[in-house]
Amino acid sequence: MGADRLDSVAVIGAGSSGLAACAALQREGISYECLEREADLGGVWNYASPGGRVYRSTHLISSKSLTEFLDFSLPDDCPDFPSHAQVLEYFRAYADAMGLHDHIRFGAGVRRMEREAGGWLLELESGERRSYGAVIIANGHNRDPYWPAQSTEFAGEALHSSQYKHPDQLRGKRVLVVGAGNSGCDIAVDSARIADSTTLSMRRGYHILPKYFHGTPIDICGERVLRWRVPLGVRRLLARVVTYFLLGRLRDAGLPEPDHKLFESHPLINSELVYHARHGDIDVRPDVTGFQDCRAQFADGSEGDFDTVVFATGYELTFPFLDANELNWSDNEHKPGLYLNVFHPDNDDLYVLGMIQPDSGQWGLVDRQARLVAKYLKGIRQGAESAGRFQKKKRAPGNRRTTKYLATPRHSLEVEHFSYRRRLDRELRALSKM
């Protein structure tokens, strides 16, 4: 039994990345077992699960055609931006169509993993210990909420965005949302409809893109321009012209002007934030400098009293079951040093999927990552020359980026989807030449 397991691969997590990994391994005829901590699949997209990170109003911010898995389309009757419930049904349909259910063990959280002869020994939260020849980590990077130190100073109700589920939590309250990522802006819009007052604290200004341009999802418009190989400077100009005519000047809505160029940060995709800000439903303030009881102080010297603060401050990238040194993670880096954010430079028995933050849909990119891992695993087991060439490539220092991003932890996983996708496709073609 032990020898058989050493020929098998453990996939940690049955969210979007884990499902893609299972399907890819299955295509290549590689034995695997998927270990999922929760009682159901879907990961952060499962609203009812303890590990769910979606709220009632959550929809995709990337259009369905640029988000879906490669060989399994979202249903035609799904809207351009499906809801979290439609996403979960899609994942379930994908698992059914690919025959993945028999390989998923629910309620099998991984407590610890450590090296052993020929592979890895995984200890589950139940105390059970199991051996595998390789491990694909697909537990996602939206698991452990990041709480700023000052959050403990607030005497009222403090929520992290991961704890926010529906607008009724904010009804009739004076609400402060700290953080202007896509989730923070969504929650501020929810709050504007139901709270007594809504304030959004923004550390810096961000470029905001509407969800649609002339009836077409904005990311599809961007995709067309990328396919036409329009230079970055021209793309920035076109996008700014479009957003100016559709949203107007950000400062007229009380929003701070960005301190960086368009596409140097993760885009805010929101058609309603500017609308509510211009209506006075959302009061925009700068960064919070501290709290005293239920009163917040802001960087411009202003203050305000609040009942509830929602900290939309993101998540910490953690792998609590694994020593960080195993992932080539140095102390001064915000993420592991992996080739394509997937492959360890030296070891061929440990991989990470989904450790990216693309400027478009993610599942198709992770599907490509998974196929690349599966083909590489098969290739090294068969001694394929293409796998040997890839092995040398992943050992080369550095992990090129084609776009400059803000030097913040928030952008450490950022990838420009178009060029990243092309790199994955090139590697897949090369590895397919066994």
Side-chain angles (χ1 to χ4, degrees):
M1 186 65 173
D4 292 340
R5 284 184 184 169
L6 288 177
D7 289 333
S8 184
V9 178
V11 177
I12 301 178
S16 57
S17 298
L19 295 177
C22 293
L25 293 169
Q26 197 152 287
R27 287 187 197 94
E28 299 299 332
I30 298 174
S31 174
Y32 70 93
E33 185 172 47
C34 182
L35 305 172
E36 168 56 49
R37 179 176 61 180
E38 309 296 352
D40 194 7
L41 56 75
V44 297
W45 284 94
N46 193 322
Y47 181 84
S49 170
R53 295 293 182 259
V54 292
Y55 33 90
R56 184 187 294 170
S57 60
T58 300
H59 285 251
L60 287 176
I61 60 168
S62 53
S63 61
K64 64 180 183 180
S65 63
L66 291 179
T67 305
E68 60 199 10
F69 294 122
L70 299 184
D71 53 1
F72 196 78
S73 299
L74 277 151
D76 292 337
D77 59 358
C78 263
D80 295 329
F81 300 95
S83 70
H84 63 82
Q86 291 167 318
V87 166
L88 183 58
E89 286 305 309
Y90 171 70
F91 288 160
R92 287 175 173 154
Y94 181 77
D96 287 339
M98 301 299 168
L100 307 182
H101 285 290
D102 290 343
H103 299 268
I104 303 175
R105 291 188 61 189
F106 294 109
V110 177
R111 178 185 297 157
R112 184 170 62 250
M113 54 183 286
E114 56 189 38
R115 288 195 174 277
E116 65 174 0
W120 291 91
L121 177 65
L122 273 60
E123 180 183 328
L124 306 187
E125 291 173 353
S126 64
E128 180 183 358
R129 295 157 71 88
R130 299 174 69 81
S131 297
Y132 301 92
V135 176
I136 297 176
I137 299 174
N139 66 322
H141 51 84
N142 292 324
R143 282 287 184 178
D144 294 323
Y146 172 73
W147 291 87
Q150 61 193 10
S151 64
T152 59
E153 302 171 1
F154 182 63
E157 180 187 30
L159 297 173
H160 189 269
S161 57
S162 61
Q163 298 169 308
Y164 172 73
K165 288 297 184 181
H166 50 79
D168 289 342
Q169 292 173 264
L170 310 178
R171 184 184 296 276
K173 297 179 179 179
R174 298 168 297 175
V175 176
L176 169 63
V177 180
V178 178
N182 281 295
S183 293
C185 291
D186 281 350
I187 294 170
V189 169
D190 275 0
S191 178
R193 299 189 179 102
I194 203 165
D196 271 5
S197 67
T198 301
T199 299
L200 175 63
S201 168
M202 301 180 66
R203 178 177 295 178
R204 60 167 19 110
Y206 287 102
H207 295 277
I208 301 175
L209 302 178
K211 275 200 163 182
Y212 287 93
F213 172 63
H214 199 59
T216 300
I218 196 70
D219 60 347
I220 291 180
C221 297
E223 184 77 5
R224 291 171 180 169
V225 173
L226 284 164
R227 290 185 183 278
W228 295 336
R229 300 182 183 277
V230 176
L232 177 59
V234 178
R235 286 193 284 120
R236 283 176 170 149
L237 176 62
L238 290 172
R240 296 205 66 170
V241 169
V242 167
T243 54
Y244 175 77
F245 279 105
L246 292 180
L247 300 178
R249 294 182 302 184
L250 296 181
R251 64 175 177 267
D252 291 340
L255 293 161
E257 291 288 345
D259 59 359
H260 56 279
K261 296 179 181 178
L262 188 60
F263 306 129
E264 285 186 346
S265 70
H266 195 68
L268 295 181
I269 311 296
N270 196 302
S271 297
E272 298 181 272
L273 179 67
V274 172
Y275 172 88
H276 283 285
R278 291 185 73 110
H279 280 72
D281 301 329
I282 297 175
D283 178 29
V284 180
R285 302 282 186 98
D287 199 17
V288 174
T289 57
F291 294 97
Q292 185 173 7
D293 294 327
C294 290
R295 192 166 186 81
Q297 295 91 36
F298 299 96
D300 62 355
S302 64
E303 297 183 344
D305 294 311
F306 301 96
D307 303 305
T308 299
V309 177
V310 181
F311 291 93
T313 46
Y315 297 84
E316 297 187 73
L317 180 62
T318 60
F319 303 93
F321 43 78
L322 180 65
D323 187 325
N325 292 326
E326 294 285 3
L327 284 171
N328 196 36
W329 199 338
S330 61
D331 293 338
N332 60 344
E333 293 292 334
H334 296 300
K335 65 180 178 64
L338 306 181
Y339 181 63
L340 295 172
N341 284 21
V342 176
F343 295 85
H344 193 285
D346 301 313
N347 300 323
D348 293 327
D349 57 6
L350 183 62
Y351 308 87
V352 179
L353 293 188
M355 198 180 67
I356 53 173
Q357 184 74 44
D359 56 359
S360 185
Q362 174 145 331
W363 310 333
L365 295 177
V366 176
D367 195 344
R368 289 173 169 86
Q369 289 180 340
R371 292 170 189 240
L372 193 58
V373 168
K375 285 189 177 295
Y376 180 65
L377 276 169
K378 184 177 181 179
I380 58 176
R381 289 180 177 184
Q382 295 179 346
E385 291 184 8
S386 57
R389 289 192 294 270
F390 184 84
Q391 189 177 54
K392 292 179 181 178
K393 184 181 296 187
K394 75 185 181 74
R395 288 175 177 167
N399 208 349
R400 301 186 309 277
R401 281 186 170 194
T402 56
T403 304
K404 175 186 175 184
Y405 295 104
L406 295 177
T408 66
R410 176 184 175 188
H411 296 90
S412 61
L413 303 183
E414 196 77 14
V415 296
E416 193 276 305
H417 80 281
F418 191 80
S419 57
Y420 184 73
R421 185 177 67 205
R422 291 179 66 186
R423 289 183 66 191
L424 292 174
D425 285 338
R426 284 197 301 268
E427 300 291 8
L428 275 168
R429 287 192 296 270
L431 269 179
S432 296
K433 298 175 182 178
M434 294 291 184

